[in-house]
Amino acid sequence: ERERKFYQTIILTPEASSELHERWKHIEKLIDGSTPSEWREAIIEADIMLDDVLAQQGYVGDGVGEKLKSVDPARVGSLQDAWDAHKVRNQVAHEGSAFNLSDTLARRTIARYANVFREFKAI
């Protein structure tokens, strides 16, 4: 049990931690914006941050989707949040302005990213 806790503990350097917090502040500023283009940018930026956080945790793959496939659901309680948020990101990225992104959906999506980041202690 002690070894499991030790090896599962996420260690971020102060620089990495600070950088992630600054990125998250920027995402929060975008989601608080009043236009769907700001909300879209917030979701895209959060997904890029998720990709980086997963890579820092040692998950490999070409993109977020492949990295999420290698995550053990028993070890990451917010895995479904990550998938749901990533699916919205895909809609935003592939459909662009044709995708009707509401304020509610955008905020819910960012909240899902936040749950994942908190579990990984990235924010």
Side-chain angles (χ1 to χ4, degrees), residues 13-120:
T13 63
E15 299 82 29
S17 179
S18 176
E19 176 189 330
L20 289 174
H21 284 288
E22 290 303 315
R23 289 172 72 184
W24 184 248
K25 285 179 189 176
H26 176 68
I27 291 165
E28 287 179 321
K29 188 181 292 185
L30 288 169
I31 200 64
D32 286 337
S34 58
T35 65
S37 63
E38 290 173 300
W39 307 335
R40 283 182 180 85
E41 186 180 348
I43 291 169
I44 298 293
E45 290 295 324
D47 203 71
I48 293 168
M49 186 171 159
L50 177 59
D51 190 38
D52 292 345
V53 168
L54 290 171
Q56 288 175 354
Q57 297 302 310
Y59 296 104
V60 294
D62 291 333
V64 174
E66 285 191 23
K67 287 177 182 149
L68 288 175
K69 287 177 186 176
S70 67
V71 174
D72 179 3
R75 293 184 61 194
V76 179
S78 61
L79 181 59
Q80 189 59 49
D81 281 334
W83 274 115
D84 291 343
H86 183 62
K87 286 176 188 174
V88 172
R89 177 265 174 210
N90 283 344
Q91 289 179 293
V92 166
H94 298 291
E95 297 177 34
S97 60
F99 177 64
N100 186 17
L101 181 64
S102 68
D103 177 52
T104 304
L105 179 58
R107 289 184 184 282
R108 187 178 308 135
T109 301
I110 293 300
R112 288 184 171 150
Y113 281 113
N115 287 342
V116 176
F117 296 148
R118 278 190 211 96
E119 183 170 352
F120 283 118

